[in-house]
Amino acid sequence: MTGMALPEFSNRLDRTADDIETLLAELLSDALLPDEIARPKRLIEAMRYSSLGGGKRLRPFLVVESAAIFGVPRQGALLAGAALECIHCYSLIHDDLPAMDNSDLRRGRPTLHKAYDDATAILAGDALLTIAFDIITRDEIHSEPAVRLALTRALARASGIGGMAGGQMLDLAGEGRFGDREPVDVARLQQMKTGALLRFGCIAGALLGQSTDKEYQALDDYGRALGEAFQIADDLLDVEGDAAALGKQTGQDAILGKTTFVTQLGIDGAKQRVRDLLARADAALSMFGARGDVLRAAARFVAERKN
Protein backbone atom coordinates (compact mmCIF):
# COMPACT_ATOMS: atom_id res chain seq x y z
CA MET A 1 0.00 0.00 0.00
CA THR A 2 1.52 3.32 -0.98
CA GLY A 3 1.30 5.96 1.66
CA MET A 4 0.74 9.61 2.30
CA ALA A 5 2.35 11.12 5.39
CA LEU A 6 -0.14 11.72 8.20
CA PRO A 7 0.66 15.46 8.55
CA GLU A 8 0.04 16.01 4.83
CA PHE A 9 -3.26 14.10 4.99
CA SER A 10 -4.33 15.93 8.14
CA ASN A 11 -3.57 19.27 6.50
CA ARG A 12 -5.74 18.39 3.50
CA LEU A 13 -8.56 17.19 5.75
CA ASP A 14 -8.37 20.35 7.86
CA ARG A 15 -8.30 22.58 4.78
CA THR A 16 -11.48 21.02 3.42
CA ALA A 17 -13.13 21.22 6.85
CA ASP A 18 -12.33 24.94 6.99
CA ASP A 19 -13.63 25.49 3.46
CA ILE A 20 -16.84 23.60 4.21
CA GLU A 21 -17.33 25.55 7.43
CA THR A 22 -17.05 28.82 5.52
CA LEU A 23 -19.37 27.61 2.77
CA LEU A 24 -22.02 26.30 5.19
CA ALA A 25 -21.93 29.59 7.10
CA GLU A 26 -22.73 31.37 3.83
CA LEU A 27 -25.45 28.90 2.83
CA LEU A 28 -27.07 29.09 6.28
CA SER A 29 -26.88 32.86 6.65
CA ASP A 30 -29.84 35.17 7.18
CA ALA A 31 -29.70 36.25 3.53
CA LEU A 32 -32.82 35.26 1.60
CA LEU A 33 -32.65 33.36 -1.67
CA PRO A 34 -35.00 34.19 -4.55
CA ASP A 35 -38.52 32.85 -3.80
CA GLU A 36 -37.81 32.54 -0.07
CA ILE A 37 -40.22 34.59 2.04
CA ALA A 38 -38.40 34.57 5.40
CA ARG A 39 -35.75 32.64 7.33
CA PRO A 40 -37.15 32.36 10.87
CA LYS A 41 -34.48 33.31 13.39
CA ARG A 42 -34.91 30.31 15.69
CA LEU A 43 -34.88 27.85 12.80
CA ILE A 44 -31.75 29.20 11.11
CA GLU A 45 -29.97 29.44 14.47
CA ALA A 46 -30.81 25.80 15.20
CA MET A 47 -29.58 24.73 11.75
CA ARG A 48 -26.33 26.59 12.33
CA TYR A 49 -25.95 25.12 15.83
CA SER A 50 -25.97 21.60 14.43
CA SER A 51 -23.99 22.28 11.26
CA LEU A 52 -21.21 24.69 12.22
CA GLY A 53 -18.28 24.53 14.58
CA GLY A 54 -17.56 20.83 14.65
CA GLY A 55 -16.96 17.57 12.89
CA LYS A 56 -14.18 16.23 10.68
CA ARG A 57 -16.22 16.87 7.49
CA LEU A 58 -15.14 13.46 6.20
CA ARG A 59 -18.03 13.12 3.77
CA PRO A 60 -17.40 16.37 1.88
CA PHE A 61 -13.68 15.59 2.01
CA LEU A 62 -14.40 12.37 0.11
CA VAL A 63 -16.32 14.36 -2.51
CA VAL A 64 -13.49 16.85 -2.94
CA GLU A 65 -10.73 14.24 -3.09
CA SER A 66 -12.57 11.79 -5.35
CA ALA A 67 -13.32 14.69 -7.69
CA ALA A 68 -9.67 15.78 -7.59
CA ILE A 69 -8.70 12.46 -9.19
CA PHE A 70 -10.41 13.74 -12.35
CA GLY A 71 -9.22 17.34 -12.10
CA VAL A 72 -12.68 18.67 -11.17
CA PRO A 73 -12.63 22.33 -10.05
CA ARG A 74 -12.52 22.42 -6.26
CA GLN A 75 -15.34 24.94 -5.74
CA GLY A 76 -17.95 22.82 -7.48
CA ALA A 77 -16.87 19.77 -5.49
CA LEU A 78 -17.04 21.75 -2.25
CA LEU A 79 -20.60 22.80 -3.04
CA ALA A 80 -21.60 19.17 -3.67
CA GLY A 81 -19.82 18.26 -0.43
CA ALA A 82 -21.77 20.92 1.46
CA ALA A 83 -25.04 19.41 0.22
CA LEU A 84 -23.90 16.01 1.49
CA GLU A 85 -22.88 17.49 4.84
CA CYS A 86 -26.33 19.06 5.25
CA ILE A 87 -27.86 15.59 4.83
CA HIS A 88 -25.42 14.17 7.37
CA CYS A 89 -26.14 16.92 9.92
CA TYR A 90 -29.89 16.48 9.49
CA SER A 91 -29.52 12.76 10.11
CA LEU A 92 -27.61 13.36 13.35
CA ILE A 93 -30.28 15.75 14.63
CA HIS A 94 -33.05 13.21 14.03
CA ASP A 95 -30.99 10.24 15.27
CA ASP A 96 -30.40 12.03 18.58
CA LEU A 97 -34.12 12.66 19.24
CA PRO A 98 -35.83 10.86 22.17
CA ALA A 99 -37.90 8.78 19.74
CA MET A 100 -34.74 7.49 18.05
CA ASP A 101 -31.41 7.10 19.92
CA ASN A 102 -32.28 9.54 22.75
CA SER A 103 -28.80 11.09 22.97
CA ASP A 104 -27.85 14.04 25.17
CA LEU A 105 -24.44 14.82 23.68
CA ARG A 106 -23.14 15.36 20.17
CA ARG A 107 -19.62 16.62 19.40
CA GLY A 108 -19.09 17.35 23.08
CA ARG A 109 -22.10 19.63 23.58
CA PRO A 110 -25.85 19.23 24.12
CA THR A 111 -27.74 17.71 21.20
CA LEU A 112 -30.06 20.09 19.37
CA HIS A 113 -33.27 18.95 21.06
CA LYS A 114 -31.57 19.46 24.43
CA ALA A 115 -30.25 22.90 23.52
CA TYR A 116 -33.60 23.94 21.98
CA ASP A 117 -36.57 21.55 21.96
CA ASP A 118 -37.90 18.56 20.02
CA ALA A 119 -40.05 20.55 17.59
CA THR A 120 -37.23 22.91 16.66
CA ALA A 121 -34.88 19.94 16.19
CA ILE A 122 -37.33 18.17 13.88
CA LEU A 123 -37.83 21.27 11.75
CA ALA A 124 -34.10 22.06 11.64
CA GLY A 125 -33.48 18.53 10.36
CA ASP A 126 -36.26 18.90 7.80
CA ALA A 127 -34.83 22.21 6.61
CA LEU A 128 -31.27 20.85 6.31
CA LEU A 129 -32.53 17.89 4.29
CA THR A 130 -34.41 20.24 1.98
CA ILE A 131 -31.64 22.79 1.49
CA ALA A 132 -29.28 19.96 0.56
CA PHE A 133 -31.30 19.42 -2.62
CA ASP A 134 -31.36 23.16 -3.31
CA ILE A 135 -27.56 23.11 -3.14
CA ILE A 136 -26.90 19.93 -5.15
CA THR A 137 -28.86 21.27 -8.14
CA ARG A 138 -27.03 24.60 -8.41
CA ASP A 139 -25.46 25.56 -11.72
CA GLU A 140 -22.11 26.31 -10.04
CA ILE A 141 -21.57 22.62 -9.27
CA HIS A 142 -21.24 21.60 -12.93
CA SER A 143 -22.07 23.17 -16.28
CA GLU A 144 -23.80 20.01 -17.53
CA PRO A 145 -27.43 19.61 -16.35
CA ALA A 146 -27.15 15.83 -16.81
CA VAL A 147 -24.30 15.71 -14.28
CA ARG A 148 -26.28 17.72 -11.74
CA LEU A 149 -29.27 15.43 -12.30
CA ALA A 150 -27.15 12.32 -11.74
CA LEU A 151 -25.73 13.80 -8.54
CA THR A 152 -29.18 14.73 -7.27
CA ARG A 153 -30.60 11.29 -7.96
CA ALA A 154 -27.61 9.57 -6.34
CA LEU A 155 -27.88 11.76 -3.23
CA ALA A 156 -31.61 11.08 -2.94
CA ARG A 157 -31.11 7.34 -3.17
CA ALA A 158 -28.26 7.40 -0.65
CA SER A 159 -30.40 9.40 1.79
CA GLY A 160 -33.81 7.81 1.44
CA ILE A 161 -35.80 4.62 1.77
CA GLY A 162 -33.15 2.37 0.19
CA GLY A 163 -30.29 4.17 1.93
CA MET A 164 -29.84 6.05 5.18
CA ALA A 165 -33.48 6.46 6.26
CA GLY A 166 -34.28 2.84 5.45
CA GLY A 167 -31.21 1.75 7.38
CA GLN A 168 -32.33 3.66 10.43
CA MET A 169 -35.70 1.88 10.24
CA LEU A 170 -33.98 -1.51 10.09
CA ASP A 171 -31.85 -0.51 13.09
CA LEU A 172 -34.90 0.41 15.17
CA ALA A 173 -36.67 -2.79 14.16
CA GLY A 174 -33.62 -4.75 15.28
CA GLU A 175 -33.89 -3.10 18.70
CA GLY A 176 -37.46 -4.33 19.00
CA ARG A 177 -39.04 -0.88 18.77
CA PHE A 178 -42.07 -2.18 16.88
CA GLY A 179 -42.65 -5.46 18.72
CA ASP A 180 -40.36 -8.47 18.74
CA ARG A 181 -36.77 -7.87 17.71
CA GLU A 182 -36.38 -8.44 13.99
CA PRO A 183 -33.32 -10.34 12.70
CA VAL A 184 -30.59 -7.94 11.61
CA ASP A 185 -28.30 -8.35 8.62
CA VAL A 186 -25.59 -6.09 10.01
CA ALA A 187 -23.72 -5.73 6.71
CA ARG A 188 -26.86 -4.64 4.82
CA LEU A 189 -27.93 -2.36 7.67
CA GLN A 190 -24.53 -0.69 7.64
CA GLN A 191 -24.54 -0.26 3.86
CA MET A 192 -27.76 1.68 4.22
CA LYS A 193 -27.61 3.62 7.48
CA THR A 194 -23.96 4.67 7.49
CA GLY A 195 -22.36 3.45 4.30
CA ALA A 196 -24.71 5.00 1.76
CA LEU A 197 -23.68 8.61 2.43
CA LEU A 198 -19.98 7.70 2.62
CA ARG A 199 -20.27 5.82 -0.67
CA PHE A 200 -21.99 8.83 -2.24
CA GLY A 201 -19.00 10.95 -1.21
CA CYS A 202 -16.81 8.66 -3.32
CA ILE A 203 -19.00 8.20 -6.40
CA ALA A 204 -19.80 11.93 -6.46
CA GLY A 205 -16.27 12.56 -7.68
CA ALA A 206 -16.74 10.06 -10.48
CA LEU A 207 -20.02 11.71 -11.48
CA LEU A 208 -18.52 15.20 -11.37
CA GLY A 209 -15.51 13.98 -13.34
CA GLN A 210 -17.70 12.22 -15.94
CA SER A 211 -15.61 9.10 -15.40
CA THR A 212 -15.57 5.89 -17.37
CA ASP A 213 -17.70 3.02 -16.10
CA LYS A 214 -14.56 1.27 -14.89
CA GLU A 215 -13.43 4.32 -12.92
CA TYR A 216 -16.89 4.73 -11.43
CA GLN A 217 -16.93 1.08 -10.36
CA ALA A 218 -13.52 1.43 -8.72
CA LEU A 219 -14.69 4.37 -6.60
CA ASP A 220 -17.95 2.55 -5.86
CA ASP A 221 -16.00 -0.49 -4.59
CA TYR A 222 -13.71 1.77 -2.57
CA GLY A 223 -16.68 3.63 -1.08
CA ARG A 224 -18.41 0.43 -0.01
CA ALA A 225 -15.25 -0.85 1.70
CA LEU A 226 -14.66 2.51 3.38
CA GLY A 227 -18.26 2.68 4.61
CA GLU A 228 -18.09 -0.73 6.24
CA ALA A 229 -14.71 0.01 7.81
CA PHE A 230 -16.12 3.26 9.20
CA GLN A 231 -19.05 1.48 10.83
CA ILE A 232 -16.89 -1.27 12.34
CA ALA A 233 -14.55 1.39 13.75
CA ASP A 234 -17.61 3.15 15.16
CA ASP A 235 -18.84 -0.07 16.77
CA LEU A 236 -15.40 -0.67 18.28
CA LEU A 237 -15.23 2.89 19.61
CA ASP A 238 -18.60 2.42 21.32
CA VAL A 239 -17.05 -0.50 23.23
CA GLU A 240 -13.44 0.64 23.65
CA GLY A 241 -13.54 4.40 23.10
CA ASP A 242 -13.32 7.33 25.48
CA ALA A 243 -16.48 9.42 25.84
CA ALA A 244 -14.53 12.65 26.25
CA ALA A 245 -12.58 12.05 23.04
CA LEU A 246 -15.71 10.98 21.18
CA GLY A 247 -17.84 13.88 22.40
CA LYS A 248 -20.78 11.51 23.02
CA GLN A 249 -21.74 8.71 25.35
CA THR A 250 -20.11 5.32 24.89
CA GLY A 251 -21.80 1.98 25.54
CA GLN A 252 -24.99 3.15 23.86
CA ASP A 253 -25.19 0.15 21.53
CA ALA A 254 -25.30 -2.26 24.46
CA ILE A 255 -27.86 -0.14 26.31
CA LEU A 256 -30.12 -0.10 23.24
CA GLY A 257 -29.53 -3.79 22.53
CA LYS A 258 -28.19 -3.13 19.05
CA THR A 259 -26.75 -5.89 16.91
CA THR A 260 -23.37 -4.63 15.67
CA PHE A 261 -20.29 -5.95 13.92
CA VAL A 262 -18.71 -6.33 17.37
CA THR A 263 -21.59 -8.40 18.75
CA GLN A 264 -21.46 -10.61 15.65
CA LEU A 265 -17.71 -10.89 15.06
CA GLY A 266 -16.22 -10.15 18.47
CA ILE A 267 -13.58 -7.47 19.01
CA ASP A 268 -10.72 -9.41 17.39
CA GLY A 269 -12.89 -10.53 14.49
CA ALA A 270 -14.07 -6.97 13.91
CA LYS A 271 -10.50 -5.67 13.85
CA GLN A 272 -9.50 -8.34 11.34
CA ARG A 273 -12.47 -7.41 9.18
CA VAL A 274 -11.26 -3.80 9.14
CA ARG A 275 -7.83 -4.93 7.96
CA ASP A 276 -9.46 -6.93 5.17
CA LEU A 277 -11.52 -3.91 4.13
CA LEU A 278 -8.43 -1.70 4.00
CA ALA A 279 -6.85 -4.16 1.59
CA ARG A 280 -10.02 -4.14 -0.50
CA ALA A 281 -10.10 -0.34 -0.56
CA ASP A 282 -6.46 -0.23 -1.63
CA ALA A 283 -7.08 -2.74 -4.42
CA ALA A 284 -10.03 -0.71 -5.71
CA LEU A 285 -7.83 2.37 -6.01
CA SER A 286 -4.98 0.60 -7.79
CA MET A 287 -6.06 1.81 -11.24
CA PHE A 288 -5.55 5.44 -10.18
CA GLY A 289 -1.93 5.03 -9.09
CA ALA A 290 -0.60 7.98 -7.10
CA ARG A 291 -3.81 9.93 -7.75
CA GLY A 292 -5.50 7.58 -5.25
CA ASP A 293 -3.05 8.22 -2.41
CA VAL A 294 -5.27 10.68 -0.56
CA LEU A 295 -8.19 8.27 -0.62
CA ARG A 296 -5.90 5.45 0.55
CA ALA A 297 -4.90 7.61 3.49
CA ALA A 298 -8.58 8.39 4.13
CA ALA A 299 -9.34 4.68 4.48
CA ARG A 300 -6.55 4.28 7.04
CA PHE A 301 -7.75 7.38 8.87
CA VAL A 302 -11.28 5.96 9.08
CA ALA A 303 -10.02 2.60 10.36
CA GLU A 304 -7.67 4.04 12.97
CA ARG A 305 -9.68 7.02 14.23
CA LYS A 306 -10.18 7.57 17.95
CA ASN A 307 -13.21 9.84 17.69
Side-chain angles (χ1 to χ4, degrees):
M1 181 184 291
T2 58
M4 164 175 278
L6 181 60
E8 183 184 351
F9 174 80
S10 296
N11 288 340
R12 291 179 77 106
L13 185 65
D14 290 346
R15 180 192 171 202
T16 295
D18 290 344
D19 288 346
I20 288 292
E21 180 81 8
T22 300
L23 186 52
L24 286 174
E26 293 172 1
L27 292 164
L28 301 178
S29 72
D30 295 328
L32 292 177
L33 296 174
D35 299 321
E36 287 186 341
I37 298 166
R39 290 191 164 193
K41 184 173 184 292
R42 185 176 180 85
L43 180 59
I44 201 73
E45 285 180 350
M47 294 167 71
R48 291 169 65 89
Y49 178 90
S50 292
S51 304
L52 302 179
K56 295 176 284 293
R57 312 297 190 189
L58 175 63
R59 289 156 190 81
F61 179 77
L62 292 171
V63 176
V64 169
E65 294 297 347
S66 62
I69 287 175
F70 304 100
V72 172
R74 181 178 176 85
Q75 199 54 39
L78 282 169
L79 204 53
L84 175 57
E85 189 69 1
C86 286
I87 297 278
H88 176 56
C89 292
Y90 124 73
S91 76
L92 299 182
I93 294 170
H94 282 194
D95 280 359
D96 288 338
L97 286 166
M100 301 276 265
D101 289 347
N102 195 23
S103 300
D104 295 338
L105 286 176
R106 172 69 66 181
R107 294 171 179 165
R109 58 179 182 169
T111 48
L112 184 59
H113 69 276
K114 289 291 185 181
Y116 287 77
D117 58 85
D118 289 7
T120 301
I122 291 167
L123 288 172
D126 292 346
L128 283 167
L129 167 61
T130 308
I131 201 171
F133 287 97
D134 180 309
I135 297 165
I136 201 68
T137 59
R138 294 190 183 184
D139 293 352
E140 303 96 302
I141 285 183
H142 200 282
S143 60
E144 291 288 335
V147 171
R148 301 197 301 272
L149 175 61
L151 278 171
T152 304
R153 182 179 294 146
L155 184 58
R157 291 183 180 173
S159 307
I161 187 171
M164 183 189 66
Q168 178 70 2
M169 177 60 78
L170 293 178
D171 199 17
L172 293 173
E175 292 173 20
R177 294 290 190 94
F178 316 116
D180 294 338
R181 289 178 185 270
E182 296 185 15
V184 173
D185 180 337
V186 175
R188 184 175 66 172
L189 168 61
Q190 172 278 321
Q191 287 171 6
M192 295 170 70
K193 182 179 177 182
T194 307
L197 291 188
L198 289 163
R199 171 181 170 266
F200 173 83
C202 302
I203 63 170
L207 294 172
L208 284 164
Q210 296 176 285
S211 71
T212 65
D213 290 346
K214 188 176 179 182
E215 289 167 336
Y216 177 95
Q217 189 60 54
L219 285 172
D220 190 355
D221 290 346
Y222 166 81
R224 291 175 189 273
L226 178 91
E228 187 171 330
F230 182 97
Q231 184 59 54
I232 297 174
D234 208 51
D235 292 348
L236 286 165
L237 284 171
D238 192 68
V239 175
E240 300 182 321
D242 176 69
L246 288 170
K248 62 180 181 179
Q249 297 98 328
T250 55
Q252 289 295 99
D253 291 343
I255 291 169
L256 294 169
K258 289 180 182 289
T259 302
T260 69
F261 281 105
V262 173
T263 63
Q264 286 205 337
L265 301 175
I267 290 176
D268 290 342
K271 290 179 177 178
Q272 180 58 52
R273 178 67 179 159
V274 170
R275 289 191 287 271
D276 293 343
L277 288 164
L278 284 178
R280 178 178 149 195
D282 184 52
L285 294 172
S286 61
M287 69 179 298
F288 299 116
R291 289 181 295 151
D293 281 352
V294 180
L295 293 183
R296 288 187 187 89
R300 292 195 301 276
F301 170 80
V302 160
E304 297 167 4
R305 67 198 174 93
K306 302 301 180 186
N307 58 27

